Amino acid sequence: MTAEARAFREHLERPDFQLGTIKQQWRLLRVAWPTADFAIRARDGTEWGFRFLLDGYPAQLPNARLCDIETGAPLAAEYWPKGSGRVAAAFNPNWNAAALYLPCDRMALPGHEQWIVEHPELLWKPASGIVHYLEIIHDLLASFAYFAPVRPAA
């Protein structure tokens, strides 16, 4: 096991990660280093899949994209979470279908250096690691800016 994978596993054993799992905010689906898939629960109970690219962990920012919970395949843009404000901005496949539009994502931060001053609470924190990114996504999906998917009547 690499030092990067070991650091990631250590973060999964921390109480803050375990608490999120116990509270059913998220759950680990699978790890195939350097990727890890998680399901993150929205306020309506919908679980959304996210695949994280973690090479260079925890020093390097990760990259997260939406994925199918069962297979890990990229989630088609029409199935991404919907919302207003911060939710609409973060989950914007028209910006980049391979990343979330967040300061803690390696694909989003370049070119948005103003985020360092404007959103320091959303920057990647190597000491907190994956838990911080999971908390940011969960907060968005638990907010009232998130729109629950419309399901057809039975």
Side-chain angles (χ1 to χ4, degrees):
M1 181 180 296
T2 67
E4 298 167 350
R6 191 168 34 260
F8 175 72
R9 288 290 181 185
E10 287 171 3
H11 284 172
L12 297 182
E13 294 171 6
R14 289 192 344 216
D16 51 355
F17 178 82
Q18 295 299 321
L19 184 60
T21 301
I22 290 166
K23 292 168 65 176
Q24 297 183 342
Q25 294 174 327
W26 53 69
R27 62 189 172 99
L28 177 65
L29 298 171
R30 65 195 141 258
V31 176
W33 196 258
T35 65
D37 295 353
F38 291 87
I40 303 177
R41 187 176 303 275
R43 67 179 170 84
D44 67 332
T46 301
E47 282 191 314
W48 295 93
F50 294 87
R51 172 160 287 177
F52 287 83
L53 178 59
L54 299 166
D55 55 314
Y57 188 89
Q60 181 169 320
L61 282 72
N63 164 246
R65 66 164 171 78
L66 279 129
C67 71
D68 180 271
I69 286 178
E70 299 302 320
T71 67
L75 193 63
E78 62 266 25
Y79 299 115
W80 281 36
K82 307 288 189 271
S84 63
R86 289 180 36 219
V87 172
F91 304 117
N92 181 0
N94 294 323
W95 170 74
N96 186 334
L100 303 184
Y101 193 65
L102 291 168
C104 54
D105 196 280
R106 77 170 70 162
M107 292 181 73
L109 187 57
H112 298 94
E113 286 72 22
Q114 72 276 11
W115 284 351
I116 295 169
V117 174
E118 294 172 359
H119 303 290
E121 74 285 2
L122 299 177
L123 295 174
W124 176 246
K125 296 177 173 70
S128 299
I130 195 66
V131 175
H132 183 61
Y133 205 145
L134 295 173
E135 288 172 338
I136 290 168
I137 295 171
H138 179 264
D139 287 349
L140 289 168
L141 295 174
S143 75
F144 286 103
Y146 163 78
F147 303 154
V150 177
R151 293 185 172 87

